[in-house]
Amino acid sequence: MGHATHTFTFMGTAAGCGVPAFFCDCPACDEARRDPRARRGDCGVMVRGEKTVLIDTPPDVRHQLIREDVRNIDELLYTHAHFDHLGGLGELEYLVQLVRKAPLPTYGSAEALEGASIEFHYMTYCLDMRELAPYEQVELDGARYTALPVTHAPGTYGYLIETPETRLFYASDTGKLPPETAERVRDVDVMAMDATFWKRNWSPDAHHSVQECIEEGLELGAKTLYLTHLAMHYDEPVTLAELEEYLRQYGGRVKPAADGLSFAF
């Protein structure tokens, strides 16, 4: 066995509008107002080795970067260009202007990069945009990232992240995985996947429920499965306490992701 060389950090783990949502008084949002452990910002992750790689720039990204004591970002990847994954991009403008003084290498599908260019047209000078085709691989800081199509908006990717020690699949927004993507992520060491809904799923073409995520993740042989993009309250609300109780049946193999949760890989 080699030794872990990278750290994976959940920057945010909520579906759009976060937990608590400012407009919501459901039991899950009430719990999050009382208990910081239950609070969630919009979804993004960070991979740190020698360098710092950010996947997505959610609206909360400035607070997330301060929380994790980040001083620089070396590469940026996008899963897709919906607001809850893109909306914080403007927070990086002064990093580029004042610190980096060079455009930030930014990877994603044609659709994601186009979306970013339209929404943040005044930011394009800050970004060195590098389009990834489906299944294309890029080596960043000693880890290999493979862009895998998932079931969501056109051009949405999950990323298979591989080091010599570990295979990790991150897909914050997806319904049932397309067959080729599913095959490529079979038996990964770690899977962090969309678990937006509790029980009833309004949009199975774009998201999983908790139950669907667990069923698919375990069927694909994931050794550890993290539930992320958790709404907690889109339909039937579920508190973190209730979710943790429900997950006990899986003996530690299935875990709720949490903002700031990190592990070495």
Side-chain angles (χ1 to χ4, degrees):
M1 277 297 284
H3 61 283
T5 53
H6 295 76
T7 302
F8 181 98
T9 301
F10 289 102
M11 302 296 275
T13 58
C17 79
V19 186
F22 73 86
F23 52 80
C24 185
D25 285 316
C26 78
C29 288
D30 283 347
E31 177 195 45
R33 286 189 179 92
R34 292 191 312 270
D35 180 1
R37 216 171 59 86
R39 293 174 196 160
R40 301 178 187 280
D42 286 339
C43 259
V45 298
M46 175 175 65
V47 178
R48 294 181 110 171
E50 297 289 319
K51 297 181 175 180
T52 298
V53 177
L54 211 56
I55 302 181
D56 290 341
T57 54
D60 317 300
V61 73
R62 180 166 63 90
H63 300 286
Q64 295 169 351
L65 292 166
I66 291 166
R67 183 193 73 214
E68 299 301 328
D69 201 27
V70 176
R71 296 289 189 279
N72 196 13
I73 297 160
D74 296 288
E75 275 104 9
L76 179 59
L77 288 86
Y78 278 106
T79 59
H80 64 307
H82 285 165
F83 174 76
D84 55 326
H85 297 259
L86 173 69
L89 176 56
E91 300 285 8
L92 303 188
E93 185 170 16
Y94 293 100
L95 169 74
V96 173
Q97 271 194 16
L98 303 177
V99 178
R100 292 185 56 84
K101 303 188 190 303
L104 182 62
T106 303
Y107 299 85
S109 68
E111 294 91 340
L113 296 181
E114 182 188 22
S117 300
I118 292 168
E119 294 281 338
F120 287 91
H121 53 89
Y122 54 87
M123 279 281 293
T124 51
Y125 79 96
C126 293
L127 305 176
D128 173 9
M129 292 195 174
R130 303 176 183 187
E131 183 184 325
L132 292 176
Y135 310 108
E136 191 172 346
Q137 297 181 337
V138 61
E139 185 99 10
L140 302 176
D141 189 31
R144 185 170 64 192
Y145 292 72
T146 306
L148 295 179
V150 294
T151 312
H152 195 63
T156 303
Y157 289 151
Y159 288 100
L160 177 63
I161 308 170
E162 296 171 285
T163 67
E165 287 80 31
T166 307
R167 296 174 66 237
L168 185 158
F169 180 55
Y170 176 71
S172 58
D173 287 65
T174 187
K176 188 171 175 60
L177 297 174
E180 183 167 348
T181 294
E183 277 312 306
R184 289 187 179 223
V185 304
R186 193 172 286 282
D187 300 323
V188 290
D189 298 293
V190 180
M191 185 180 288
M193 191 159 64
D194 180 319
T196 301
F197 293 91
W198 175 245
K199 297 182 180 173
R200 187 169 84 103
N201 184 347
W202 295 344
S203 53
D205 296 337
H207 294 291
H208 282 110
S209 67
V210 167
Q211 290 77 11
E212 289 163 344
C213 176
I214 294 170
E215 183 180 355
E216 183 166 38
L218 297 188
E219 192 276 321
L220 289 172
K223 294 180 182 67
T224 301
L225 176 62
Y226 286 98
L227 310 179
T228 193
H229 206 270
L230 290 155
M232 310 301 286
H233 58 156
Y234 277 173
D235 191 74
E236 180 182 336
V238 59
T239 63
L240 179 58
E242 289 167 337
L243 179 61
E244 288 175 330
E245 179 63 30
Y246 176 81
L247 296 179
R248 284 176 60 180
Q249 64 187 295
Y250 298 104
R253 187 175 173 191
V254 181
K255 306 169 188 284
D259 292 23
L261 174 68
S262 293
F263 56 85
F265 74 103

